[in-house]
Amino acid sequence: MIKIILFFLKKYINSPKKEWLRFDSVFMILGIIISVATLTIALSIFEGYETVLKDTILSVNSHVYFYNSEVGNLQNEDVELIQEKLQNKSEVVSSSALIISQVIAAKGNRIKGSIVRGINWEQDDLPNKYRESIWEGSWKLDKENSAVIGFRLAKELNITIGDEFKLISTMNSKMTPMGLKPKESTFTVVGLYKSGMYEYDTKFIYIDIRDMAEFNSMQNEFTMVEVKLKPEMIEKADYLAYLWQHEFDYKYQITSWIDFNSNLFTLLKMEKWVIFIILSFLILIASFNVVSSISTSILEKRMELGILKAYGATDKLLQNIFVSKTLILALLAVSIGQVLGVLIAKFLSWQRFFVLKGDVYFLDKINVQFGITSWLIILGVSIVIVFFASLIPIKNISRLNITNIIRKA
Amino acid sequence: MSLIKIEKLTKSYLEASGKLEVLQGVDLEVFTGDTIAITGESGSGKSTLLHMMGMLDDYDSGKIYYSDKLIDLNYNKLNEFRNKSIGFVFQSHYLLEDFTAEENVAMPMFINTKDFKKSLIKARELLKALDLDNRKDHYPNELSGGEQQRVAVARALINSPQIILADEPTGNLDVKHSEELINMLIELNKTKKHTFVIATHNLEIAAKMQKCFELANGVLKEVTK
């Protein structure tokens, strides 16, 4: 049967009448193209957003974090123990201790709540992408009280490289005759930092870990040890954290980047599939054109169908020919729709007329990514919908009465 | 043994004016190598009888035997049976527009054997025999009326069926082409022993057949020449 179907398909494509360019066929193709393109745009933007958000989060944060399991900080001996044990693990690339604190950054009358991270900036295999994220200036924090700050924070404080600003911490307030006096230090901006994540770029300040210890009065104490994993282990960070928890006898609280952001990524995934389901209805609507196009075609070709039936062609063969013709057109339309969708999505990511609100969406730029999984899912869903739509009108083939056709022709 | 035996075939249609009895107990026996004409006025039921003999249409009562085997529309291999055993030629050529002459001729054999190459070789042989080998690559709309009908005859012959049922095969042809077509069918009967049953209201054509029947008022009677 396949041979006959292929023969008919070949004739259909090469037919001098170009039946597939008929008005109803063209509308059927256009309907599928537009609906698939819309679905592709939505999914590629969602996928791009998810990927870039993940990359951005991972560029600032490492993958696994060790905290003290009780209230308080990690001591020097804890850090040594953790790093010694992690050194032998094949999944681990590097680890580093750091101090994190909430502060107020101030310049003149401008103030802004910030998060300051004291890091071992000299460490070549630093677990985060601190060095790669420097937008302007230097990553070296070699001068005393030098700082790298987020470029948006710099804008808000109206400072740039070479300017001084103050860090104020209420955690280390001193009692004075005038009342509680917060700890205050002056830092000089040596570099501007750009991660692409709105929240990080408006809040983060990087300083040398020794300056941080001095500022926070935390000698030989650290907020956490962050760990960088090998790329293939990044998605399994939560599982590793769970294993290590047991390995370290529950002495430390070990979490992963997945635990920290699981709500966000679960929400994103759910939104992506909700959008996918809603937009799939567009393909369903487009498939109404499939029903009408096949019905018209059967009506137009009833004489030929009648004669083929008279000469022994079974209903199943004729139905398969119609379904195959429709599926070929649908495949063509879906492919064009996907390419068109990706092109439009690329254009949206390239244009600058419309930008995302960074404070709402974390990122201010539309990013586009279209993976093989999405490609296959859209193709599969579209073809399945078209296939089931085509089954409705082809039932009419078996109802065609040969003698009626011959009499009326 | 008869090739086709029809016993007491009846067929009626329900119309607004009442029940129209088209066939009222028709009996007919066809033997291999016969050329039979069925004549009658327009609307007398010639085409209906032919369609029933060709298992294209159902009947109210009666029986149709092919080589002593009872066949009806419920026969589970009806498509295959029709494909292999019966060839049709209609008043209009009913050629498939998107296919060339040789592809049209090859189609019944292709459906039967699934071997397109073999079917095409046989189709070319038939077209050559019918003096149409120079028109094999032409589409139906590029052929004259006579050529179209000859291609339709070639299509009916390709599976070497037991019988060829021709319903007013010359209905759309001029006198010259009608005569050529009928002479060709007679020649095929003589040389290849093909069996033909032809429905026609043209008495001259009927006279050229070995047997002639007249269908009137739903009753089929043999006409003595």
Side-chain angles (χ1 to χ4, degrees):
Chain A
M1 191 187 278
I2 289 172
K3 271 187 184 176
I4 301 179
I5 293 170
L6 288 176
F7 175 72
F8 269 85
L9 289 180
K10 205 174 136 193
K11 292 302 293 182
Y12 173 65
I13 292 163
N14 298 323
S15 148
K17 281 169 72 183
K18 296 275 179 266
E19 193 198 325
W20 51 280
L21 282 177
R22 235 178 32 200
F23 188 73
D24 54 296
S25 295
V26 169
F27 262 77
M28 178 187 98
I29 293 170
L30 277 179
I32 297 173
I33 288 176
I34 292 168
S35 52
V36 168
T38 312
L39 187 56
T40 306
I41 294 167
L43 279 199
S44 49
I45 288 176
F46 255 96
E47 212 163 287
Y49 179 73
E50 197 181 342
T51 309
V52 174
L53 190 65
K54 199 183 275 183
D55 286 350
T56 310
I57 287 172
L58 290 178
S59 72
V60 177
N61 305 292
S62 48
H63 309 131
V64 180
Y65 323 105
F66 283 72
Y67 296 94
N68 195 333
S69 58
E70 290 157 21
V71 180
N73 296 309
L74 292 171
Q75 302 301 309
N76 214 7
E77 51 270 30
D78 291 321
V79 173
E80 279 171 10
L81 175 79
I82 293 166
Q83 290 191 319
E84 193 188 317
K85 276 200 172 185
L86 291 180
Q87 237 172 14
N88 305 322
K89 296 206 173 294
S90 59
E91 305 96 332
V92 174
V93 176
S94 65
S95 66
S96 181
L98 72 157
I99 304 169
I100 301 173
S101 179
Q102 292 200 357
V103 295
I104 296 165
K107 172 73 180 177
N109 57 356
R110 295 182 183 224
I111 58 166
K112 173 84 183 159
S114 307
I115 293 168
V116 62
R117 293 165 75 106
I119 57 167
N120 269 318
W121 61 274
E122 291 156 305
Q123 188 181 331
D124 284 332
D125 56 354
L126 209 59
N128 56 53
K129 291 181 183 167
Y130 161 73
R131 290 183 191 179
E132 291 91 323
S133 303
I134 298 298
W135 186 48
E136 212 181 316
S138 167
W139 54 270
K140 289 180 180 169
L141 301 166
D142 47 356
K143 287 172 193 154
E144 197 181 339
N145 280 7
S146 54
V148 164
I149 71 169
F151 81 103
R152 288 185 189 278
L153 178 62
K155 262 187 195 171
E156 285 184 33
L157 294 176
N158 196 23
I159 53 176
T160 186
I161 296 165
D163 290 348
E164 288 185 340
F165 68 103
K166 277 183 182 168
L167 285 186
I168 303 160
S169 169
T170 52
M171 281 172 68
N172 300 301
S173 304
K174 277 183 183 172
M175 184 60 80
T176 66
M178 304 292 287
L180 274 175
K181 186 176 185 288
K183 174 97 184 210
E184 202 178 291
S185 272
T186 303
F187 283 79
T188 309
V189 180
V190 295
L192 297 179
Y193 170 92
K194 187 181 185 182
S195 66
M197 185 96 161
Y198 187 84
E199 197 186 335
Y200 297 161
D201 295 337
T202 49
K203 278 193 177 161
F204 275 21
I205 298 169
Y206 288 88
I207 62 173
D208 180 83
I209 194 164
R210 285 157 295 214
D211 291 342
M212 184 69 178
E214 174 70 30
F215 178 66
N216 251 17
S217 307
M218 283 172 65
Q219 294 311 315
N220 297 323
E221 281 184 44
F222 303 90
T223 312
M224 66 165 163
V225 170
E226 59 175 1
V227 183
K228 183 182 182 180
L229 299 174
K230 283 189 174 165
E232 63 271 22
M233 299 308 293
I234 293 172
E235 295 295 332
K236 294 174 188 163
D238 52 342
Y239 178 64
L240 273 182
Y242 165 77
L243 285 184
W244 290 348
Q245 191 92 41
H246 178 71
E247 212 172 300
F248 281 89
D249 276 337
Y250 299 92
K251 198 174 171 190
Y252 306 108
Q253 186 193 334
I254 307 170
T255 52
S256 69
W257 71 276
I258 296 172
D259 302 319
F260 264 118
N261 303 287
S262 63
N263 286 350
L264 179 63
F265 286 112
T266 309
L267 181 73
L268 275 179
K269 257 200 181 71
M270 197 188 77
E271 279 184 357
K272 183 174 143 184
W273 291 116
V274 168
I275 288 283
F276 175 78
I277 291 165
I278 292 170
L279 292 183
S280 293
F281 278 89
L282 284 181
I283 302 176
L284 199 67
I285 294 164
S287 71
F288 294 161
N289 282 343
V290 174
V291 177
S292 107
S293 175
I294 298 179
S295 301
T296 312
S297 184
I298 289 174
L299 210 62
E300 274 187 6
K301 295 223 166 267
R302 65 188 183 286
M303 188 274 285
E304 294 187 12
L305 291 168
I307 211 73
L308 283 167
K309 279 174 104 171
Y311 273 108
T314 59
D315 290 339
K316 201 176 170 191
L317 169 69
L318 299 175
Q319 287 171 343
N320 283 341
I321 290 170
F322 270 84
V323 171
S324 307
K325 268 161 47 169
T326 311
L327 288 183
I328 283 203
L329 284 189
L331 199 66
L332 178 81
V334 172
S335 306
I336 294 173
Q338 286 184 316
V339 172
L340 187 69
V342 170
L343 290 178
I344 294 173
K346 287 267 180 210
F347 170 76
L348 287 175
S349 73
W350 167 80
Q351 57 82 34
R352 289 287 169 270
F353 309 113
F354 174 76
V355 288
L356 293 177
K357 279 180 119 182
D359 50 346
V360 178
Y361 301 103
F362 305 112
L363 307 170
D364 56 2
K365 188 175 173 293
I366 295 174
N367 297 284
V368 170
Q369 197 188 4
F370 194 57
I372 183 93
T373 316
S374 298
W375 178 75
L376 284 174
I377 289 173
I378 292 179
L379 184 73
V381 168
S382 313
I383 295 296
V384 165
I385 290 176
V386 171
F387 172 72
F388 280 108
S390 67
L391 294 184
I392 301 167
I394 60 162
K395 282 180 188 164
N396 293 332
I397 291 177
S398 55
R399 293 189 197 121
L400 288 175
N401 184 302
I402 306 171
T403 46
N404 281 349
I405 294 167
I406 291 166
R407 277 179 210 280
K408 286 174 187 169
Chain B
M1 185 175 70
S2 54
L3 177 62
I4 303 177
K5 192 176 179 188
I6 297 173
E7 284 179 359
K8 301 192 178 4
L9 204 65
T10 66
K11 175 74 178 176
S12 59
Y13 293 105
L14 273 177
E15 292 192 340
S17 54
K19 198 174 179 187
L20 179 69
E21 304 272 358
V22 183
L23 302 178
Q24 299 181 40
V26 168
D27 294 310
L28 177 68
E29 214 165 350
V30 182
F31 294 90
T32 305
D34 275 354
T35 54
I36 293 175
I38 296 172
T39 61
E41 290 175 1
S42 295
S44 60
K46 305 185 295 290
S47 297
T48 305
L49 178 58
L50 238 61
H51 290 163
M52 284 167 189
M53 287 172 77
M55 295 295 147
L56 297 178
D57 203 0
D58 208 355
Y59 40 87
D60 299 339
S61 66
K63 284 170 181 166
I64 301 176
Y65 297 90
Y66 269 82
S67 304
D68 283 348
K69 189 180 177 189
L70 184 67
I71 304 281
D72 59 25
L73 285 185
N74 298 319
Y75 180 46
N76 59 357
K77 289 180 178 171
L78 188 66
N79 288 307
E80 196 184 329
F81 171 77
R82 219 161 34 206
N83 176 276
K84 287 181 182 170
S85 309
I86 309 167
F88 296 97
V89 181
F90 300 99
Q91 184 170 347
S92 284
H93 55 81
Y94 295 132
L95 296 174
L96 308 178
E97 286 180 1
D98 297 332
F99 296 79
T100 60
E102 63 178 10
E103 286 165 348
N104 263 289
V105 175
M107 194 57 72
M109 190 173 173
F110 185 33
I111 290 170
N112 174 26
T113 61
K114 321 281 186 281
D115 187 339
F116 186 64
K117 224 173 175 178
K118 209 170 134 188
S119 309
L120 217 53
I121 292 169
K122 180 87 187 284
R124 283 173 190 160
E125 279 172 21
L126 276 168
L127 287 173
K128 197 174 179 186
L130 299 182
D131 204 19
L132 282 166
D133 53 337
N134 58 337
R135 313 293 275 165
K136 65 181 170 58
D137 295 323
H138 290 241
Y139 286 91
N141 60 359
E142 297 165 349
L143 302 172
S144 70
E147 285 169 337
Q148 287 170 340
Q149 204 61 322
R150 275 191 285 160
V151 172
V153 171
R155 179 177 62 183
L157 294 171
I158 193 158
N159 277 339
S160 307
Q162 292 175 318
I163 186 163
I164 291 130
L165 304 172
D167 185 10
E168 303 278 12
T170 59
N172 286 350
L173 300 180
D174 56 33
V175 179
K176 182 177 166 258
H177 284 115
S178 295
E179 207 174 314
E180 277 176 11
L181 187 80
I182 294 302
N183 289 341
M184 187 184 83
L185 297 184
I186 292 168
E187 188 62 25
L188 283 168
N189 168 259
K190 281 181 184 164
T191 54
K192 309 274 183 188
K193 298 286 172 217
H194 285 299
T195 308
F196 289 97
V197 176
I198 298 172
T200 180
H201 56 258
N202 186 327
L203 296 178
E204 278 180 38
I205 291 172
K208 290 182 177 178
M209 300 294 124
Q210 293 162 7
K211 293 175 191 170
C212 184
F213 290 84
E214 188 186 10
L215 187 61
N217 301 320
V219 180
L220 189 71
K221 282 181 189 162
E222 187 161 7
V223 180
T224 315
K225 287 187 186 177

